[in-house]
Amino acid sequence: MSESRESRPRRFLVCEPRHFAVQYAINPWMNPDRPVDVDLAREQWQELIRTYRAHGHTVDAVEPVPGLPDMVFAANAACVVGGRVFGSLFHAPERRPESLHYDTWFKAAGYTVYRPEAVSEGEGDLVWTGRYVLAGTGFRTTREAHREAQEFLGHPVIGLTLVDPYFYHLDTALFVLDDANVCYYPEAFSPGSREVLRRLFPDAVEATREDAMSWGLNSVSDGRHVFIAPQAEALSERLADHGYVPVPVDLSEFHKAGGGIKCCTQEIR
């Protein structure tokens, strides 16, 4: 059945975890007393980059900055649609300096960057579907940022309310499979938001809490291949049944900071 799915070459922006650490706690996954194996994190991250390139995708990199341990989570830095870069204003003061370094990279690459006035955490909460932007709120990105994103990007923005602190970003509870469909964990959303998702995506692949806690929803799809945490075995099987090709990549060391494959991957459109 996988033959019916078509992959499309993507361009990704990443940041090497040279300074990765858990030095503070800003989500339920983080514990500064739990040691991080930086060498293992770098090996896992390098394997992700090799895997992307082996599947025909282009990967660019931002230079990591000392003192910014979460800069590896490139997805949170911006949402890029049609060459327009909607930047970030992080909720946590510890992460706010990251925005400047990503903005600098985008500007040097020739992009116009919009800096939001309201708290907004890039693709962590702003997910492009190919037709509109799904926008998470409840823990980080604010509804006012949704309005700013719509004005700047010029595409409809559909707000979704997150209700489970373990899934504090939209990209921990939902990912886009292709231009027509998504995969998501319904109970991460408010009742009204679940109804919106059911109406928009009646054929969506629905995930369980176990799938979500295994970081299966912090995945990246190119339309055919789904780069997914190997811990999410049941979800991988379900995706395969729907014609997608799971590509397991272990980023378990980053789970200690509340991040995974998608968190480490900014898509440039």
Side-chain angles (χ1 to χ4, degrees), residues 2-3 39 41 51 59-60 71 79 82 91 106 110 132 146 151 168 189 196 214 233 238 260 262:
S2 62
E3 289 77 13
D39 291 336
T51 302
V59 182
D60 295 309
M71 196 171 167
C79 177
H91 180 270
F106 278 114
Y132 36 73
H146 296 180
E151 288 299 311
Y168 55 91
F189 299 90
V196 168
S214 299
E233 294 181 10
R238 218 168 306 132
K262 175 55 192 171

Side-chain angles (χ1 to χ4, degrees), residues 74-177:
N76 304 154
C79 177
V80 186
V81 179
R84 297 183 181 185
V85 180
F86 186 82
S88 62
L89 175 61
F90 286 94
H91 180 270
E94 294 91 339
R95 296 199 65 185
R96 290 193 172 184
E98 296 176 29
S99 300
L100 173 62
H101 301 287
Y102 279 98
D103 289 356
T104 299
W105 187 93
F106 278 114
K107 289 175 181 177
Y111 294 90
T112 298
V113 179
Y114 176 88
R115 292 294 302 277
E117 296 179 5
V119 170
S120 182
E121 300 204 349
E123 284 190 330
D125 278 320
L126 302 175
V127 176
W128 175 244
T129 67
R131 292 173 290 171
Y132 36 73
V133 177
L134 299 178
T137 191
F139 298 100
R140 301 290 183 84
T141 299
T142 66
R143 291 191 181 278
E144 177 58 26
H146 296 180
R147 185 197 66 79
E148 287 187 76
Q150 180 166 283
E151 288 299 311
F152 177 72
L153 296 174
H155 291 281
V157 173
I158 299 172
L160 301 169
T161 300
L162 297 162
V163 296
D164 188 325
Y166 277 93
F167 311 113
Y168 55 91
H169 272 158
L170 184 58
D171 73 358
T172 65
L174 175 151
F175 72 96
V176 173
L177 286 164

